Amino acid sequence: MDLSPRPAQLGQGDSPARGVLGSRLLSDARVRWGILAVSATAAVLNGVVSLIVLGTPGELVWIAAIATPVLVGAVVMRRRPGHPLAGFFVLVSLASLSQLAETLIVVSGTDRPSTVVGLLLLSQLCAVLSTIGMAVVLGLYASGVVQRRYERVLLSALWALVLVPPVVLLSVRQVALPFYFDTAPFDNPWLLSPVTLAPTVGSTVVDQVFLPPLLLGLVLLLVRYRRSDANDRRPMRWLLLPVFVTLVAAATQLLIGAGEPRWLISLLWLVTAVSLVVAVGLGLLQPAGVDVDRVLRQSLVYALLWLAIAAAYVGLGAAVGVAAGQRLSIGWAVTLTMVAALAFQPARAWLGRLADRWVFGSRPDPAQAVARLGAALADTYDLETLLPLIESTVRDGLGLEWVRVRLDAGSASFAADGGSPESVLEVPIVLDGSQVGVIACGPALSGRLTDSDRALVETFAQQAALAVRNVRLA
């Protein structure tokens, strides 16, 4: 995979992420590499403590997974050090330091409450900083450009969440550690506030502080996606990768419920978090030569749908076999099952095409469009049929808003609004050295027309010229 960066362009009225609070500090390369160094050291120490002191080698999997932002952040810093979001992405790596603080809590135990509270505060602060970093990355993804004033205001306001952990820890009478520590609440040696909170209230407040920034980042991401053109949307689609994994994790948890194996649920959600970090990193890097749509189409979502289709296909065949086996001999039951499988084959193919259209829409395939038009024009000798056929084929094959074909011997037009808007591309239809018409194209439904699109329209024009000759000779 070529990770050579593609140049980013700022649109008119756009400004880099420097307008977001904290961006100036995080734009310093020394600060970024310092954060990565601290996080990497924390991940290594966490592994050593878990393996040697606690004797839990199984934790190494989780430690390595949570350290993923360190590795991906280092690649982003090497390949795209000037990216506006590089600093905020590096901030996500502080999750490793948060995890190390929790491991040290287990080592120290509750016999030293002051140390435990200090480590808990460190863990929560690092987790909040990591969450803020991811929220900013999502909110300004993938260019890192502030396009609206409200983006700068909302994302800058997230830094107020850093005050929540210390305020809560200074206000609770008893400290309640997270449920996975399996310890009872203990008296808070750091209590300073005259207004005290119950342990459950304090822990609930801290637990809920991570969700709002992530939701804000996702909402801003959706808004940016809707107003972006095709070129800006392409790197954003890398985030379909964690969406797929999230769907699998949610479906698995729904099927398993509260039963065993719980480790499988935890593993799937951990893979979800890792896939989010990797997908965000790929969007920032925008590796040359990698088509995100092709990757997603040929692997994750498409594979999931085909898995569901195959499961239904096998299930229907098996159901027929079971029903037959209750009334017929084994030989007849097997034969009937094979016949049912063959009978369901056309249904499986139809479901596959339906799933493809449902996920990816009606995907223009230029090569297929050229082949279909050539085959259709070979048997067309009527201009009233010829012109609409050329128009619809060019429009659907390139994903255009409208197409008009004009010939000297007749004309036809199509436009989404019923009018005659200005064309963005016109290609002449030439027959025996003379222009006999023109194909006028409207704007693309997404993005801009490229040189390859023009070459494709010229191919359509050549086919149209041959069809005109057929009409004249008929």
Side-chain angles (χ1 to χ4, degrees), residues 6 23 47 52 124 141 161 175 195 199 208 236 244 246 269 273 276 330 337-338 340 366 375-376 409 445-446 450:
R6 292 172 175 160
S23 56
I52 299 178
Q124 293 175 349
Y141 195 73
L161 297 177
V175 177
V195 179
Q208 299 302 321
M236 296 182 187
F244 165 78
T246 300
W269 285 114
L276 175 60
I330 296 179
T337 301
M338 295 176 62
L445 294 174
S446 62
T450 62

Side-chain angles (χ1 to χ4, degrees), residues 94-465:
L94 287 176
S96 292
L97 185 55
S98 175
Q99 187 186 35
L100 173 62
E102 291 190 348
T103 302
L104 295 178
I105 290 177
V106 177
V107 174
S108 63
T110 56
D111 294 336
R112 290 177 286 182
S114 295
T115 303
V116 171
V117 174
L119 291 172
L120 181 61
L121 177 60
L122 175 63
S123 174
Q124 293 175 349
L125 284 176
C126 290
V128 170
L129 290 173
S130 177
T131 304
I132 292 174
M134 181 58 74
V136 174
V137 170
L138 292 176
L140 300 180
Y141 195 73
S143 64
V145 172
V146 176
Q147 298 175 346
R148 298 291 189 274
R149 185 174 181 270
Y150 64 80
E151 294 176 338
R152 180 184 297 108
V153 173
L154 292 176
L155 294 176
S156 297
L158 292 179
W159 288 97
L161 297 177
V162 176
L163 300 175
V164 174
V167 169
V168 170
L169 280 178
L170 295 175
S171 304
V172 292
R173 294 188 302 272
Q174 288 186 316
V175 177
L177 296 178
F179 69 93
Y180 43 83
F181 283 99
D182 195 21
T183 58
F186 56 89
D187 292 335
N188 183 9
W190 287 27
L191 179 62
L192 295 178
S193 175
V195 179
T196 57
L197 301 174
T200 55
V201 174
S203 59
T204 301
V205 171
V206 175
D207 290 341
Q208 299 302 321
V209 79
F210 305 103
L211 184 60
L214 293 178
L215 289 179
L216 174 62
L218 290 174
V219 171
L220 293 178
L221 173 64
L222 292 175
V223 174
R224 287 171 71 90
Y225 187 87
R226 286 183 58 86
R227 65 168 181 257
S228 299
D229 58 20
N231 292 330
D232 292 334
R233 286 182 176 185
R234 188 169 293 110
M236 296 182 187
R237 283 198 285 272
W238 280 111
L239 294 181
L240 288 177
L241 176 69
V243 169
F244 165 78
V245 181
T246 300
L247 291 176
V248 174
T252 305
Q253 185 171 5
L254 183 63
L255 292 175
I256 296 179
E260 299 293 339
R262 295 186 62 181
W263 64 266
L264 178 60
I265 301 298
S266 300
L267 179 61
L268 285 173
W269 285 114
L270 191 63
V271 172
T272 300
V274 171
S275 66
L276 175 60
V277 174
V278 173
V280 169
L282 288 172
L284 298 182
L285 291 170
Q286 298 186 39
V290 180
D291 186 351
V292 57
D293 295 329
R294 182 181 297 274
V295 171
L296 293 172
R297 179 177 293 117
Q298 293 183 351
S299 56
L300 301 178
V301 181
Y302 199 63
L304 178 62
L305 283 175
W306 271 106
L307 180 62
I309 294 168
Y313 171 62
V314 173
L316 288 174
V320 173
V322 171
Q326 295 176 349
R327 296 174 175 81
L328 303 175
S329 64
I330 296 179
W332 280 105
V334 172
T335 302
L336 187 56
T337 301
M338 295 176 62
V339 172
L342 293 175
F344 286 130
Q345 182 68 23
R348 187 186 68 167
W350 176 80
L351 284 173
R353 293 191 298 269
L354 180 63
D356 194 22
R357 290 195 300 269
W358 176 63
V359 174
F360 303 108
S362 180
R363 294 178 292 172
D365 191 332
Q368 293 183 4
V370 171
R372 286 197 304 267
L373 181 61
L377 294 181
D379 300 325
T380 303
Y381 302 95
D382 181 9
L383 286 177
E384 293 183 358
T385 304
L386 173 64
L387 298 181
L389 178 61
I390 298 174
E391 289 178 343
S392 60
T393 303
V394 176
R395 183 183 69 250
D396 297 338
L398 290 177
L400 305 177
E401 292 186 3
W402 57 265
V403 170
R404 292 194 304 270
V405 178
R406 298 193 303 270
L407 295 176
D408 293 340
S411 63
S413 64
F414 175 86
D417 58 359
S420 300
E422 182 179 357
S423 59
V424 298
L425 174 63
E426 292 190 359
V427 175
I429 301 175
V430 180
L431 180 61
D432 298 330
S434 302
Q435 181 173 333
V436 297
V438 65
I439 299 179
C441 301
L445 294 174
S446 62
R448 299 181 179 87
L449 294 179
T450 62
D451 292 339
S452 60
D453 294 331
R454 181 181 181 87
L456 185 60
V457 177
E458 291 175 350
T459 302
F460 286 133
Q462 295 172 3
Q463 290 183 315

